Amino acid sequence: MKLYYDFHIHSALSPCGDEDMTPNNIINMAMLKKLDAIALTDHNIAANCSACTALGRRNGIIVIPGMEVQTKEEVHVLCLFETIEKIEAFGKELNTHFEWLPNREEILGRQLILDEDDRLIGEEKRLLIHSVDLSIYALVELAHHYEGLAIPAHIDKKAFSLISNLGFISPDLNVDALELYKMTTLEKFIGKNPMYKNYRYIFNSDAHYLHDISERDHWLEVEDISIKSIFKALRKSSKGDAK
Amino acid sequence: MIIKEIIEELKLNQVSGEKDSLKTVNGVYICDLLSWVMANGSKGDIWITVQTHLNIIAVASLLEIPMIIVPESIEIEEETLAKADEENIVVCTSELDSFTLACNLNELGLK
């Protein structure tokens, strides 16, 4: 069956994310757009994932706990996990590779941690938009160690992308899928980059504002509507069909 | 200009490509975005970059760039250095930053 998704959404915890990106607003917008599953992927942190997954469970929409990690080559990689426990364990280890620098609110905005009622329960004071001290190889390995998926983000963009920053995708980099930005089509991308035709692709919004969240446009072929089936469909070894 | 002379003049720390030090270079290119270097770098350039990922060797090899200088004493992964030896590319590190390296290379007559 088809599962409609958007696996790259930022909350108000990302410095570039709009303050309206609260757990309830994100879930409600995803429901309005009739998505079956979303992933919350703030920069290098997962503190708003538990509120969102709880709201998702209550409202019948799958919320995958995720993070958009910036490697030391400044490549953005979506790291998705099946449970809050797994992303927290991953996050704890990731933190040991993350230098503490102060956020500059006046330029980058506040970084809000919110609960299931959208109440402010904390503010992240570290600068979240900078690199962890891990190469992309080490990060992919770490995500896999916690049974997560590693998906290089917006590889067709000119900044923070695997292709722009590292020139090309080495076949020995064991990624689970590649993300294309919603403005591109697969045909256009593969037309220009035929050497990457055998990868699995997903299309996400990289939403920083509520209205950016994807419409019911992109789907995965899954066995049933569950987080397990999504992971099965996205893992390289599976035969699922991604559009 | 011969790579060996540059290494001596700038007191660089050579970390790969020992046997390729007699190759010549004729220019300098500085950029850290690998796709940009692939599009704009030239054969025979010295390339200065803070990137140390394995892909820098593939890009240098593709463009026939004989020498890479990594500034500010940034540590380089073992596999990158092994690949550099394999592809006959001289990799050096320096405690200087890219701008100072460029100025020094310019004083040596490289444009």
Side-chain angles (χ1 to χ4, degrees), chain A residues 122-139:
Chain A
E123 257 187 81
E124 177 61 49
K125 294 295 183 191
R126 291 176 304 168
L127 176 69
L128 292 176
I129 300 197
H130 78 107
S131 299
V132 298
D133 185 23
L134 289 174
S135 71
I136 187 165
Y137 282 94
L139 176 68

Side-chain angles (χ1 to χ4, degrees), chain A:
Chain A
M1 62 169 69
K2 286 180 180 176
L3 171 139
Y4 290 86
Y5 69 87
D6 184 351
F7 295 147
H8 188 164
I9 296 174
H10 291 272
S11 76
L13 177 54
S14 288
C16 46
D18 189 41
E19 291 197 6
D20 281 342
M21 294 297 266
T22 65
N24 281 280
N25 285 349
I26 291 171
I27 299 298
N28 287 331
M29 185 57 92
M31 284 166 63
L32 275 176
K33 302 212 173 195
K34 298 192 167 56
L35 297 175
D36 300 306
I38 61 170
L40 187 69
T41 52
D42 286 312
H43 292 286
N44 300 317
I45 193 167
N48 277 346
C49 284
S50 62
C52 282
T53 51
L55 284 168
R57 256 196 308 276
R58 215 179 294 156
N59 291 286
I61 179 165
I62 295 171
V63 179
I64 299 174
M67 236 188 246
E68 183 177 27
V69 180
Q70 182 171 314
T71 70
K72 76 172 180 186
E73 302 95 349
E74 297 196 342
V75 174
H76 284 185
V77 181
L78 298 179
C79 297
L80 307 181
F81 297 86
E82 285 186 61
T83 62
I84 291 290
E85 290 71 30
K86 281 179 189 166
I87 200 169
E88 280 176 353
F90 168 82
K92 203 170 161 194
E93 188 160 346
L94 195 73
N95 264 337
T96 64
H97 301 281
F98 198 50
E99 192 188 349
W100 204 104
L101 297 170
N103 180 35
R104 293 185 59 191
E105 277 178 23
E106 70 283 10
I107 299 169
L108 295 165
R110 295 162 77 199
Q111 303 177 145
L112 311 179
I113 303 174
L114 304 158
D115 71 6
E116 289 170 44
D117 297 314
D118 290 354
R119 279 185 303 230
L120 188 67
I121 51 171
E123 257 187 81
E124 177 61 49
K125 294 295 183 191
R126 291 176 304 168
L127 176 69
L128 292 176
I129 300 197
H130 78 107
S131 299
V132 298
D133 185 23
L134 289 174
S135 71
I136 187 165
Y137 282 94
L139 176 68
V140 169
E141 209 170 285
L142 187 65
H144 287 165
H145 177 73
Y146 290 99
E147 297 169 329
L149 302 173
I151 303 173
H154 40 67
I155 59 160
D156 50 323
K157 275 194 172 177
K158 296 276 179 237
F160 299 116
S161 119
L162 175 53
I163 295 178
S164 70
N165 291 28
L166 291 177
F168 61 93
I169 306 170
S170 177
D172 63 357
L173 183 64
N174 190 21
V175 296
D176 298 282
L178 300 170
E179 181 199 72
L180 290 174
Y181 188 57
K182 64 177 176 182
M183 303 309 283
T184 323
T185 67
L186 189 57
E187 292 70 28
K188 243 194 247 170
F189 181 77
I190 297 295
K192 277 194 209 149
N193 302 278
M195 61 286 206
Y196 304 136
K197 68 177 175 353
N198 292 330
Y199 284 90
R200 177 178 309 286
Y201 287 89
I202 58 172
F203 289 81
N204 296 319
S205 68
D206 193 359
H208 290 79
Y209 295 86
L210 285 168
H211 56 79
D212 290 337
I213 293 174
S214 291
E215 299 295 330
R216 194 174 160 87
D217 285 338
H218 303 294
W219 51 272
L220 282 178
E221 186 66 35
V222 291
E223 288 167 12
D224 55 30
I225 307 288
S226 70
I227 211 161
K228 277 223 159 350
S229 293
I230 295 170
F231 274 66
K232 200 170 167 197
L234 285 175
R235 283 207 168 96
K236 221 176 174 179
S237 55
S238 75
K239 297 272 192 294
D241 186 27
K243 177 180 173 278

